[in-house]
Amino acid sequence: MAYSLLKSYLDAGEAKEIRRSLLVMALPAIGENVLQMLLGISDTAFLGHYDWRVMTAVGTANQVVFIFQAVLVAISTGSMVLISNSYGARNQHRVNLIAWHAIYLSIVVGLILSVGSLFSGNLLSLLFPSSDAFMQMNGAKYLQTIMVGFPAMSIMVVLGAALRGAGDTRSPLIAAAIANGLNVFLDYSMIFGKFGFPEMGAFGAALATVLSRVVGSVIITVLLFRNRGISMTRRPQRLSRWMLREVFVLGLPASIENFGFSLGVLVFANILFIASPQAYAAHRIGIQVESLSFMPAWGMGVAITALVGIYNGSRQRRLSIGVVRQGWFIALTISSIIGIAITLFPDLFISVFTNETSLIEEARLPVRIIGLFQVVMGTDYAVTGALRGMGDTSFPMKSSLVAMWLIRLPLGYVLVRYFGMGLFGAWIGMMADMVLRTALKFVRFYSGKWEIKADSIQARSG
């Protein structure tokens, strides 16, 4: 059966109610992820005004962090999809069991990942051989500290996903808001040496982020146990191998997608270093603007995943498809408005991250490109959310890896290395990747081939 985003599957009353539900779920999710992003973006913004070379060093360190985060994506995606479908099926025991396993996995995986801090210095010199000694030293300080704090990051990411699966996007927002407010204050204080703190540069930025995430992890845990939809038992559930398997089977494709994408981004960074360290610095500013610009589309994608999963678990396929169409329209509208603002006023966004005239000049082009591609990004997040909500988590992985490794990296390398197109050439490869990835997912949704996965997870959730 073919499904179209251009066809209405709902009557006027149903469409209105679903739009309301999507916005109620998406707005807190958008706010939360903006705040989560700001935990890293505030580092970049403050360090960009502190020393652009330190900002660049921290940018390389964060590329490594994103690779390690791939495991957290597996747990959070698997937990969210399973909880949303079980919640829709009104299977309270299963919801509770999944939530407890999310807690176990977030703690264990966070502790394991923190061991990577012992090898942080060698990792940066191995992965970024083109960077100079100053950048590697500052990057290593930042990376080592951030990785020590991985358990807190793991708890915030995974438990936030568990709450969103039950339709609660407000609690993760509260935790992120408190953590981010603390981070901004500590960043300013520890980077520049204000309010009695010593000037610590990159190390201060990392320490501020870790302390903020520790506070956020405590808050999100308390809110999870207070959530009525999940209704956590005070007595821990027995560890179940089949439940662990379910979480990872559903979440592993998203994890592989994240890992392959993050590794590709790391290779892409080295391509930019071929042009110049300043080209990479301008690229990082462009990426930070992008990370803020796609938040509404990302939040709508999260809402689509949760609501599609809930309707799929309750065996209401028509309403699931109606959710996707309504969410897509909302994402396109908001993305278009943001895109116009970014394209017309790029310097307004760039100036948040640097006051270096040469960097502003170089970053202006990629930021305008971001503005022009907002509609594509909005479509990508909406369709990805739909496929994941139905349990089809493997196809987004495949399309993302194909687009990254067969389009972005080869095309970007050729245009930078052999045509001397610098940052612009690299971003041509990046945008070609985005168009292909979105087109593949769009065709997948239209084909209806995800129905087998949706029926399977529906049967297990009841």
Side-chain angles (χ1 to χ4, degrees):
M1 181 184 292
Y3 295 94
S4 173
L5 291 177
L6 301 178
K7 177 182 176 182
S8 178
Y9 296 86
L10 309 171
D11 61 39
E14 289 172 331
K16 182 178 180 180
E17 179 60 27
I18 281 178
R19 283 196 298 271
R20 188 194 70 81
S21 297
L22 282 169
L23 288 171
V24 167
M25 295 174 70
L27 290 175
I30 293 167
E32 180 222 344
N33 212 51
V34 167
L35 293 171
Q36 289 282 9
M37 284 286 181
L38 286 175
L39 283 171
I41 288 177
S42 61
D43 291 352
T44 304
F46 281 123
L47 289 171
H49 291 278
Y50 179 73
D51 186 327
W52 74 266
R53 295 176 304 160
V54 177
M55 178 196 72
T56 305
V58 167
T60 61
N62 276 321
Q63 298 301 322
V64 180
V65 173
F66 295 150
I67 291 176
F68 282 98
Q69 277 183 279
V71 184
L72 302 184
V73 172
I75 305 168
S76 59
T77 302
S79 299
M80 182 178 176
V81 173
L82 286 172
I83 286 177
S84 66
N85 277 268
S86 299
Y87 184 81
R90 300 184 184 279
N91 190 336
Q92 189 59 53
H93 171 72
R94 184 174 165 85
V95 170
N96 197 320
L97 187 62
I98 298 166
W100 269 107
H101 280 72
I103 293 174
Y104 300 150
L105 288 168
S106 65
I107 294 172
V108 172
V109 171
L111 290 172
I112 293 172
L113 291 176
S114 66
V115 176
S117 63
L118 300 174
F119 312 100
S120 55
N122 293 331
L123 278 172
L124 281 179
S125 60
L126 176 66
L127 297 174
F128 293 95
S130 301
S131 59
D132 59 34
F134 177 82
M135 289 185 181
Q136 288 189 7
M137 178 189 70
N138 280 278
K141 284 181 183 178
Y142 183 88
L143 179 60
Q144 185 176 40
T145 308
I146 288 292
M147 294 190 73
V148 167
F150 253 125
M153 180 195 297
S154 178
I155 291 169
M156 286 194 73
V157 170
V158 176
L159 300 194
L163 286 161
R164 287 191 292 270
D168 180 7
T169 54
R170 186 176 299 176
S171 293
L173 171 64
I174 293 171
I178 295 172
N180 192 72
L182 178 62
N183 183 64
V184 170
F185 169 75
L186 292 178
D187 255 349
Y188 177 71
S189 303
M190 293 181 170
I191 290 172
F192 297 100
K194 305 293 184 180
F195 304 111
F197 288 95
E199 181 181 334
M200 293 183 277
F203 173 69
L207 184 59
T209 300
V210 169
L211 292 174
S212 302
R213 282 176 175 154
V214 169
V215 172
S217 67
V218 172
I219 294 170
I220 199 79
T221 303
V222 171
L223 293 174
L224 177 71
F225 277 89
R226 290 184 175 181
N227 183 272
R228 294 182 179 180
I230 295 178
S231 297
M232 294 288 292
T233 59
R234 294 299 182 264
R235 184 176 182 179
Q237 297 288 306
R238 180 177 295 180
L239 194 65
S240 167
R241 280 187 294 180
W242 64 264
M243 180 56 70
L244 293 175
R245 180 181 178 277
E246 279 204 70
V247 170
F248 277 105
V249 165
L250 270 176
L252 190 59
S255 177
I256 294 172
E257 175 189 353
N258 188 271
F259 177 80
F261 184 82
S262 298
L263 189 61
V265 168
L266 190 148
V267 174
F268 193 68
N270 278 283
I271 291 174
L272 283 158
F273 270 112
I274 293 174
S276 71
Q278 186 162 315
Y280 177 74
H283 164 74
R284 287 302 307 167
I285 291 171
I287 290 298
Q288 297 293 1
V289 174
E290 179 197 31
S291 66
L292 283 175
S293 70
F294 67 57
M295 281 305 102
W298 177 90
M300 188 53 61
V302 168
I304 290 171
T305 297
L307 204 53
V308 163
I310 290 170
Y311 282 129
N312 187 62
S314 60
R315 303 178 186 275
Q316 300 182 77
R317 182 63 50 81
R318 180 180 63 85
L319 293 182
S320 294
I321 305 303
V323 167
V324 184
R325 172 184 163 88
Q326 296 302 318
W328 181 53
F329 279 179
I330 295 171
L332 286 186
T333 301
I334 299 173
S335 295
S336 298
I337 295 171
I338 293 173
I340 292 170
I342 291 175
T343 303
L344 295 178
F345 309 105
D347 290 14
L348 182 65
F349 296 89
I350 298 169
S351 61
V352 174
F353 302 99
T354 185
N355 51 12
E356 291 275 345
T357 304
S358 58
L359 272 182
I360 293 173
E361 290 287 337
E362 193 154 6
R364 191 174 290 136
L365 178 61
V367 169
R368 280 195 166 127
I369 291 174
I370 289 166
L372 294 174
F373 275 78
Q374 286 298 305
V375 171
V376 177
M377 293 168 68
T379 302
D380 181 47
Y381 279 101
V383 181
T384 301
L387 294 174
R388 286 179 174 168
M390 293 294 189
D392 188 7
T393 55
S394 62
F395 190 83
M397 169 199 72
K398 295 172 184 176
S399 58
S400 178
L401 295 182
V402 166
M404 169 63 78
W405 291 92
L406 298 185
I407 300 297
R408 179 191 297 204
L409 297 179
L411 182 58
Y413 179 77
V414 168
L415 294 178
V416 172
R417 181 80 176 184
Y418 297 105
F419 288 84
M421 295 179 67
L423 185 60
F424 180 56
W427 273 64
I428 289 176
M430 185 173 164
M431 295 303 111
D433 159 355
M434 188 179 296
V435 170
L436 176 62
R437 186 192 330 154
T438 304
L440 290 172
K441 294 173 188 175
F442 193 92
V443 171
R444 174 72 169 188
F445 176 80
Y446 182 86
S447 71
K449 291 181 179 179
W450 44 264
E451 287 183 314
I452 297 175
K453 298 284 183 68
D455 291 341
S456 175
I457 192 173
Q458 184 183 88
R460 296 198 305 272
S461 299

